[in-house]
Amino acid sequence: MPIVMRLDRVMADRKMSSLELAEKVGISPVNISRIKTGRLKGIRFSTLEAMCEALHCKPGDIIDWMDDEEYVKTFGQVKGNT
């Protein structure tokens, strides 16, 4: 049951770059990239709140959940298998 990060989609909708979001949130562009790709172990609520404020969105716009079947249909493999 994978958690999927949708930050890239929300940023594109708002026409906001990683550098601009990083500056508004107060974290590095590298960490924005890690969040966008889902290559992170956790995210602080304060960071999530700051991203939502900067992007004028809800946490559910950034973080999504898919069952395994939906994930495979979308991405072609189960999360964690490369």
Side-chain angles (χ1 to χ4, degrees):
M1 296 179 234
I3 299 293
V4 179
M5 301 307 292
R6 301 287 188 191
L7 181 59
D8 55 345
R9 183 173 61 187
V10 176
M11 289 173 58
D13 290 346
R14 308 300 192 277
K15 296 178 176 53
M16 188 176 295
S17 70
S18 293
L19 182 59
E20 184 180 358
L21 182 59
E23 289 173 354
K24 287 184 177 200
V25 173
I27 62 175
S28 73
V30 170
N31 284 336
I32 294 291
S33 177
R34 288 180 180 148
I35 295 168
K36 283 171 50 175
T37 60
R39 298 204 183 275
L40 68 160
K41 294 185 186 238
I43 184 168
R44 292 180 182 197
F45 282 135
S46 60
T47 301
L48 182 59
E49 181 180 5
M51 288 191 311
C52 289
E53 185 176 334
L55 294 165
H56 302 286
C57 68
K58 296 180 180 180
D61 297 330
I62 296 173
I63 301 172
D64 196 9
W65 173 87
M66 294 180 171
D67 62 28
D68 290 338
E69 184 177 317
E70 183 181 7
Y71 190 89
V72 170
K73 283 182 185 176
T74 304
F75 298 104
Q77 62 185 10
V78 175
K79 188 172 183 175
N81 294 346
T82 53

